[in-house]
Amino acid sequence: MPTYPWLLYYRYRVLTVAISSLLMTCLAHLWVSGDGFNDFGIFWHGFCGCPVDPRDAFVLLNLPPFTALIAGFVFGYLSPGAVALPAAAGIPGNQLKALNRFFLTRPVSRRNAFFLPAAIAMTTIVLLPAAAFLLLVGWLSLVHAPSLHHLMATIRMIPAVSQLGQHPTFLQVLGAVSAPRRYLAALSVGFCAYALLSSQQWMMLSPSKKINALGIFSALLLFVPMWRVFGHQTADMMFLAPGHGTPLAYLPSVLGIALHFAIAAAILTGCWRILRTAEL
């Protein structure tokens, strides 16, 4: 498959996700270890000496799903692989349909048009949030920043980590906190966000008005502050991250992770069926 043109097209989105992931990670570190958002000395040798706070541990636990969610939004929201058409006027639904029709009638297979952008988006969601956190930890360790010890002390407030010895290794901490499971949950949330928002461009190709309306509704999810509309228990199930009133020992359920992946797969499968039957 000719992946290079797609990488070239999506390079700014990849760059946006990389910058946003690193920015969110640095802001989380400023929140946890800094004396304010302008306390940039914590990235070197400065440290305010702030005591550890359980609320800061919640910030760290919510960081992976939040960065994955942002990545899913960046790649999913109104992301047809097309160029603008001067003739594509009218309401947004008709404009998006015209853009997709223009793109899909070019000499490129439907399979490439559908699966390559999804592969690039999902690879980015998998790699960049974790890379941003590892880059921060690596930098703090390289410059021997005192804030790294405060960061580790905050993580040690999680009950499973507190049972380790006095000087656990970084890998031991990741294992105790069930980092693979938590990160897999974050990826499932990011994949769902991408699938929901990117489905708009394909639903607009369906001759069914109901599916067109469903595609328009999916774009509105970007503007709905779901974490405030729903109760914290519902929000925990949707975002697979601990909210207010949730104990620090919270772990996303295997069923919840599986359901998120299944929902994302079902949405993409339905969009692929629409694309295969669309008359262009």
Side-chain angles (χ1 to χ4, degrees), residues 210-230:
K210 293 181 180 180
I211 294 181
N212 293 160
L214 188 62
I216 295 175
F217 173 75
S218 66
L220 299 179
L221 294 177
L222 181 64
F223 306 101
V224 177
M226 292 177 289
W227 46 89
R228 294 188 181 276
V229 172
F230 301 102

Side-chain angles (χ1 to χ4, degrees), residues 79-276:
S79 60
V83 294
L85 276 181
I91 63 174
N94 289 338
Q95 183 179 14
L96 185 58
K97 185 181 293 187
L99 291 173
N100 279 297
R101 288 181 180 276
F102 172 80
F103 175 70
L104 291 170
T105 52
R106 301 305 93 187
V108 61
S109 71
R110 296 184 182 188
R111 189 182 305 275
N112 288 358
F114 184 84
F115 288 107
L116 279 178
I120 294 172
M122 292 180 180
T123 302
T124 303
I125 294 172
V126 169
L127 296 179
L128 292 188
F133 181 75
L134 293 177
L135 181 63
L136 174 65
V137 173
W139 169 257
L140 295 177
S141 178
L142 181 65
V143 300
H144 303 287
S147 62
L148 178 61
H149 301 289
H150 181 265
L151 185 66
M152 298 302 294
T154 303
I155 297 177
R156 286 175 64 88
M157 298 191 71
I158 301 172
V161 185
S162 63
Q163 299 175 5
L164 298 176
Q166 290 295 324
H167 302 287
T169 65
F170 182 66
L171 293 179
Q172 287 176 331
V173 172
L174 291 181
V177 80
S178 300
R181 182 171 170 178
R182 295 181 189 275
Y183 196 66
L184 196 63
L187 295 182
S188 69
V189 173
F191 286 178
C192 272
Y194 168 75
L196 281 170
L197 294 174
S198 66
S199 65
Q200 183 195 25
Q201 58 178 312
W202 309 120
M203 289 182 180
M204 287 302 172
L205 296 177
S206 174
S208 172
K209 299 298 183 183
K210 293 181 180 180
I211 294 181
N212 293 160
L214 188 62
I216 295 175
F217 173 75
S218 66
L220 299 179
L221 294 177
L222 181 64
F223 306 101
V224 177
M226 292 177 289
W227 46 89
R228 294 188 181 276
V229 172
F230 301 102
H232 72 87
Q233 292 183 345
T234 305
D236 292 349
M237 290 187 294
M238 292 176 63
F239 300 109
L240 299 179
H244 296 292
T246 307
L248 282 175
Y250 166 85
L251 271 177
S253 67
V254 176
L255 177 61
I257 297 172
L259 285 176
H260 277 69
F261 279 119
I263 290 171
I267 293 172
L268 293 177
T269 301
C271 291
W272 173 241
R273 292 175 64 87
I274 292 173
L275 179 59
R276 290 185 62 187

